[in-house]
Amino acid sequence: MGAEPSVGDEAAGGTALREPQQGRSRASFERMLSAAAALLRERGSDDFTLLDVSKKGKVSIGSIYHRFDSKDELIQAVHRRFIEQMIERQGVLIGKAVRQGDRLETLMHALIEEIAELLRQEGAMLRPLMRRASADPVVGAAGRLGYIDMHDRLTAAIMAFRSEIRHPDPDRAVASVIRIMYAAIARFLGFGATETPLDPGNWADLKEDLSDMCTAFLLHAPKR
Amino acid sequence: MGAEPSVGDEAAGGTALREPQQGRSRASFERMLSAAAALLRERGSDDFTLLDVSKKGKVSIGSIYHRFDSKDELIQAVHRRFIEQMIERQGVLIGKAVRQGDRLETLMHALIEEIAELLRQEGAMLRPLMRRASADPVVGAAGRLGYIDMHDRLTAAIMAFRSEIRHPDPDRAVASVIRIMYAAIARFLGFGATETPLDPGNWADLKEDLSDMCTAFLLHAPKR
Amino acid sequence: MGAEPSVGDEAAGGTALREPQQGRSRASFERMLSAAAALLRERGSDDFTLLDVSKKGKVSIGSIYHRFDSKDELIQAVHRRFIEQMIERQGVLIGKAVRQGDRLETLMHALIEEIAELLRQEGAMLRPLMRRASADPVVGAAGRLGYIDMHDRLTAAIMAFRSEIRHPDPDRAVASVIRIMYAAIARFLGFGATETPLDPGNWADLKEDLSDMCTAFLLHAPKR
Amino acid sequence: MGAEPSVGDEAAGGTALREPQQGRSRASFERMLSAAAALLRERGSDDFTLLDVSKKGKVSIGSIYHRFDSKDELIQAVHRRFIEQMIERQGVLIGKAVRQGDRLETLMHALIEEIAELLRQEGAMLRPLMRRASADPVVGAAGRLGYIDMHDRLTAAIMAFRSEIRHPDPDRAVASVIRIMYAAIARFLGFGATETPLDPGNWADLKEDLSDMCTAFLLHAPKR
DNA sequence: TATGAATGAGTATTCATTCAT
DNA sequence: GATGAATGAATACTCATTCAT
């Protein structure tokens, strides 16, 4: 549910891939996708040429066009596949955090730890993805899908401790917490903005303070 | 390497431009800068041609090369100048917020309101700037400069209410607050990532919740 | 060189095709020929791909290469077969006209009517054929063959009324009449030139005037 | 009138050329046009590359794109200019024939001689032009313009001897004569069809017979 | 024998930069 | 100084043909 491939395939914008199911075809299809993915990670953006993909993946340019109508579609396919994998991993990691959290505070720390580490590990791919999402609606939509999945899972996890929340509007408060948490991590990791984070700071500190901040917000109603 | 002073110097605003001081030269210099700035805003990125600048600014391409060594330098100059103006405005706006804040809570709300609105107003220019900062060290450095200025001013403003802060490490807490606040606003405005914010949400709510969250974090020591 | 018998032989209809004689093979052979013919008619030229033929005829590209050495040979085969059919039909139609003509004048009208209508009906195929004939010697030769057949039959038909001809050199006069008649019809139908005929005019008028002109030429010796 | 350049420029489809008026620019503009024209004549079609034009004309590819938006526009410009020149020459040659013709018969012979020779001389350019006209509406329109000019001039010339015409409908008869005459010459010269004329025949004979045929048609009313 | 995936040479087009006038 | 025409390297995309299965 939510992570089955069919959803990703269609909802993300619908480029019906000519994806072969087996044998040599499948192998060369894999090679072109992973060559493109590797180049995306190495360069941090999609400004490589199809000749680069052709050489790195040991596939002919014609083969690429046999599978995709354009360079753009190849790149979109890489991103879409990556997002599907991210959705799977998010599910697993949030589940793990939920098992560790016995109170709102410990849960928040565990959730932020898991999400932050996932995003950090996949930074090399997320950076070009975010960058492209701002101009390419197909990738934008796919990215949104991954974000929404994470948002929904986090909401469910946090709402399990609804009784601890003192904020007058728990639904809105949780939504804000997730949004802000994600923004802070993404920015610290330089997604879509500077490669080198805008200020040095300390990764461990950020995670801790972010957890504390979110917890404090949920546990203490604003005086107004 | 990478840390040599010259880089910092250059980026800090110094690149000795062949900037004319008066008359017709000055006027055409202005026209090329503002044409480039307008294109940056319109397109949301720097993927326009020098021919576009030439037509829009009614300057010849040769004139542009008379002032700048490359297209990159022209764009860097636009960003640098923009950042200088942002620094000025930040100072004014933060000063205004300080005069409105009589307690930590009211101050935080006022600060966030001012900063958020400034960034929103200048979004059209900040988006291409952020986007470029991730690949161009010169713009990255200039952007960092503007960020640091804001950071320092905000720190000073908040530290005026140091006595209200319950967090065991006020310096670190304030630093985190600023970082997170900036990240959340920037992301909501779609800087460097998706043009359309990743989730709908509500701008006024975000500002309020962000203020509350920061305040809560500062006013309540984490139980640990 | 250029006159060696083999060329003539080949072009004349002989290219030893690997043409299967029966069963499934025969059926798929037919499908590739008629798919190519259909594409030729639809597009008005041979600028379709073998993939198009493959899809339209439900034959694999490999199968096409099993029968033909190249795309060119496939197209030549289509044209050759078409010309063979045209030759058959010409014979029938000219025979029909001959039975209707009791004098030179009525004969000329009947001949022109039949030929003109045949060419009009087959315009969709003759246009790409003519177009190709100018660059492809094989198709050129095949086309010439069809033309010569028509020329010979028309000559025989007209010469049956040799006694009516007043032109001092009846053989030459008849040859010119045929050549000019064919040229006028072909041009009016837009063969090899503009798709839309160069001037509007009226098809029925053209046929009538052409008949009258040919008749007048044959019946009246030039005063010289 | 009818031959002024402005008509050709606009009515032919309207590609407003960025045509320089003098100096080095003008020279390189000329070089690209004549290089393209030469290639068109040599190859008999437009299947040369812009690199060919670039080398032959000693112009950079960029320069070509500075003047034309595409290869197609370059070729269209060559054809348009050629047609303008043809229109000029037609006027002169038809005028010359008119001065030679003292009766309808001598006029027809002179007209056909001049037109036939003009088309023969320019065959190398007319062949690719006709070929292109069938697929390119811009060239088609320009070609039509040239044809119409010739048609109008011939009509006027022939109608000067209207009293000699015995055909019951002189206007229609003259129109048919022109159309058929043009078709026969064009076909004999292989315009738009086979490079090598479909049948051998004799150029001088064709011109003579064509003249006789047209004259006979005009001088003798069909018996009906 | 049939299939259709893989190959890769060939080409129009873009645009930062140079330089003659 | 100022102009904008000229340069040409760089790159996505097409499609006839080959060949592994």
Side-chain angles (χ1 to χ4, degrees), chain B residues 43-123:
Chain B
R43 313 255 177 127
S45 86
D46 46 29
D47 70 346
F48 48 82
T49 73
L50 285 183
L51 192 64
D52 293 330
V53 179
S54 159
K55 282 175 183 160
K56 181 152 214 143
K58 290 171 191 331
V59 234
S60 71
I61 290 185
S63 290
I64 298 173
Y65 275 89
H66 186 65
R67 301 296 177 195
F68 301 99
D69 284 337
S70 65
K71 184 191 174 189
D72 279 351
E73 288 206 354
L74 166 63
I75 291 171
Q76 287 160 4
V78 172
H79 286 316
R80 201 157 39 224
R81 164 186 285 220
F82 171 75
I83 284 167
E84 282 161 19
Q85 293 163 354
M86 284 293 281
I87 288 178
E88 287 235 14
R89 294 182 63 189
Q90 282 168 15
V92 174
L93 294 173
I94 292 175
K96 188 176 151 204
V98 162
R99 285 190 297 280
Q100 288 170 18
D102 54 346
R103 276 174 306 125
L104 187 55
E105 192 190 352
T106 51
L107 175 72
M108 285 306 302
H109 277 77
L111 286 173
I112 286 176
E113 177 65 23
E114 297 297 343
I115 294 296
E117 286 305 318
L118 174 62
L119 297 182
R120 194 176 62 75
Q121 278 169 37
E122 298 301 336

Side-chain angles (χ1 to χ4, degrees), chain D residues 108-135:
Chain D
M108 284 307 302
H109 277 78
L111 286 173
I112 285 177
E113 176 65 23
E114 297 296 345
I115 293 296
E117 287 304 316
L118 174 62
L119 297 182
R120 194 177 60 75
Q121 278 169 37
E122 297 302 336
M125 193 73 185
L126 283 163
R127 258 183 294 273
L129 188 154
M130 297 288 200
R131 177 166 258 249
R132 185 165 236 272
S134 55

